[in-house]
Amino acid sequence: MAAAQTRAVMAALEAKGGAGCARFVGGCVRNTLMGKPVDDIDIATVLTPDQTIEALEQAGLRALPTGVEHGTITGLSGGRAFEITTLRRDVATDGRRAVVAFTHDWAEDAQRRDFRFNALYADAEGQVYDPTGEGVDDAREGRVVFVGDPMTRIREDYLRILRFFRFQAWYGRGEPNAEALAACGALKDMLLGGTAERIQKELMKTLAADDPRAVLRLMAAAGVMPVILPTVTSLARFEALVAIETEQLFETDPVLRLAALIPGDVEGARVLAEGLRLSNADRDRIVGAVGQEPRIVSWMSPREARRVIYALGTATFRDRVKLAWAGAERASTAPQWRALLALAETWTPPTLPLSGEEVMKAGVPKGPMVGKVMREVELWWIDQDFIEDKFSVIERLKAVAQGMVY
């Protein structure tokens, strides 16, 4: 938070409203205290949105009115975005959106935030302010605790149920806060009919944590899992996949982790993916990953594996190997699964060395028959383990063409 771009924004705001009119807030303060990387920098200020815009523009910085009705302006400094929000208090809430009024009271602003370690502020000099009196200790000890009454906070915004589990997965240490967990379970039905995109975003962030196994067990025990993922019947494959990723130092993969939660049902996977409003790419990846044919087993020979890679594509083959590995019972097969993944990384599926023009030169008339002949030759070529001998391919073409045309 000491970068030149950041200092420029804070200086611009203080030039307008005086020293102390703006403070860093939320995640950037929390992560700094916890010794974790800071990605986004949010700023709270007593300045109104109009005053914030004026302050930034007078300093030669860009200001984008990204959420004026909620008091939020996005400032751009040195190519970096800063979300700057006027201090607020809730006037009315309905579980999805809030009507707010601006305030100059930092404590009042803190009371509308979700968790105590997210209600921390720090000024430009690094002085930390903790209006709830518990936020600093929560951050240092890894406690995820709602500001005030958990039931009240959740009724203000149903998504705070999923945020509790997400923050527990990323920052929690030890046993979860019992009062918070009980409130999430009691109000879980508020998630029914919720905005799919918002639910999906929180779910995927939870799955992206280094090790979310314990948290998903909490979600299942609290009855939250059946509400957002009704087709999930077991966490076993998911937990095994996370263990494999951890042990093998694989990159954390939230999309594949979601696929691991879904039974091997392609149509069910498609329905779930569309219900969560996943991107087309993520939907197609999950549907491909949960497919059962052709079957993937650890004892596949390199030749068999190449056939499957050619049929599925390298990415889908890799996903299915990891899911099959996670579903296997014997840990002793790990070297075999790793060998299959290594083959997928090093072998590039070739292209059939045959063109439609060559097929027609062999006497096959233009039209659907060309494709049929090419497919027959391709099946032979695959069976020959993708033979690179062009002469042999042409000879096979002649034999197939003769048999199919005559």
Side-chain angles (χ1 to χ4, degrees), residues 311-379:
L312 297 178
T314 300
T316 299
F317 176 81
R318 249 190 341 254
D319 285 346
R320 289 201 189 179
V321 167
K322 289 181 180 178
L323 291 185
W325 185 355
E329 295 182 2
R330 293 179 57 192
S332 61
T333 59
Q336 294 168 279
W337 293 116
R338 285 197 300 268
L340 290 176
L341 291 173
L343 176 62
E345 292 295 333
T346 57
W347 185 71
T348 301
T351 301
L352 176 66
L354 186 66
S355 67
E357 184 177 346
E358 288 172 321
V359 173
M360 288 187 286
K361 285 182 179 179
V364 179
K366 185 177 182 180
M369 186 63 70
V370 172
K372 292 180 180 180
V373 170
M374 288 192 72
R375 180 56 181 161
E376 285 295 321
V377 175
E378 182 183 33
L379 290 173

Side-chain angles (χ1 to χ4, degrees), residues 142-153:
R143 296 192 304 246
V144 186
V145 184
F146 280 99
V147 173
D149 175 49
M151 301 282 277
T152 300
R153 294 288 82 77

Side-chain angles (χ1 to χ4, degrees), residues 171-299:
Y171 304 112
R173 295 198 299 272
E175 291 297 314
N177 180 262
E179 191 178 4
L181 187 59
C184 289
L187 298 177
K188 62 183 183 297
D189 287 345
M190 288 187 70
L191 292 165
L192 293 170
T195 305
E197 289 84 354
R198 296 182 73 200
I199 291 174
Q200 174 242 114
K201 184 176 180 180
E202 289 297 330
L203 174 62
M204 298 309 286
K205 286 181 177 179
T206 301
L207 293 176
D210 287 341
D211 188 353
R213 286 175 290 182
V215 164
L216 262 71
R217 288 195 291 270
L218 286 175
M219 292 174 70
V224 172
M225 183 68 72
V227 174
I228 61 172
L229 294 176
T231 62
V232 174
T233 57
S234 171
L235 299 178
R237 186 167 67 166
F238 162 78
E239 293 195 352
L241 175 64
V242 176
I244 290 168
E245 289 177 338
T246 302
E247 294 162 5
Q248 304 298 323
L249 301 181
F250 293 153
E251 184 177 350
T252 298
D253 191 337
V255 177
L256 190 60
R257 288 177 174 183
L258 177 58
L261 289 166
I262 304 170
D265 175 3
V266 169
E267 185 55 35
R270 183 176 288 107
V271 170
L272 181 143
E274 291 176 352
L276 286 174
R277 301 293 190 270
L278 293 176
S279 68
N280 291 341
D282 287 346
R283 177 202 62 204
D284 293 345
R285 183 185 174 195
I286 287 175
V287 169
V290 303
Q292 299 297 300
E293 294 297 333
R295 185 176 175 222
I296 306 290
V297 292
S298 65
W299 57 87

Side-chain angles (χ1 to χ4, degrees), residues 354-406:
L354 186 66
S355 67
E357 184 177 346
E358 288 172 321
V359 173
M360 288 187 286
K361 285 182 179 179
V364 179
K366 185 177 182 180
M369 186 63 70
V370 172
K372 292 180 180 180
V373 170
M374 288 192 72
R375 180 56 181 161
E376 285 295 321
V377 175
E378 182 183 33
L379 290 173
W380 169 86
W381 175 67
I382 293 170
D383 194 54
Q384 298 299 310
D385 200 19
F386 309 97
I387 187 171
E388 297 181 4
D389 183 2
K390 178 75 171 184
F391 176 79
S392 296
V393 174
I394 295 299
E395 288 301 303
R396 183 64 182 178
L397 165 64
K398 291 176 182 178
V400 172
Q402 186 175 25
M404 294 190 74
V405 176
Y406 302 104

Side-chain angles (χ1 to χ4, degrees), residues 109-188:
D109 183 78
Q111 285 301 311
R112 70 175 304 277
R113 297 185 179 273
D114 49 11
F115 305 107
R116 297 187 312 205
F117 63 15
N118 287 341
L120 294 171
Y121 306 80
D123 62 25
E125 304 305 316
Q127 174 67 44
V128 175
Y129 300 85
D130 185 0
T132 71
E134 300 283 351
V136 170
D137 288 342
D138 286 351
R140 289 174 174 161
E141 296 178 23
R143 296 192 304 246
V144 186
V145 184
F146 280 99
V147 173
D149 175 49
M151 301 282 277
T152 300
R153 294 288 82 77
I154 292 172
R155 288 192 178 102
E156 291 168 348
D157 183 352
Y158 70 92
L159 208 67
R160 286 173 173 166
I161 295 173
L162 298 184
R163 284 173 64 82
F164 169 75
F165 292 108
R166 192 240 293 186
F167 283 113
Q168 186 67 32
W170 280 88
Y171 304 112
R173 295 198 299 272
E175 291 297 314
N177 180 262
E179 191 178 4
L181 187 59
C184 289
L187 298 177
K188 62 183 183 297

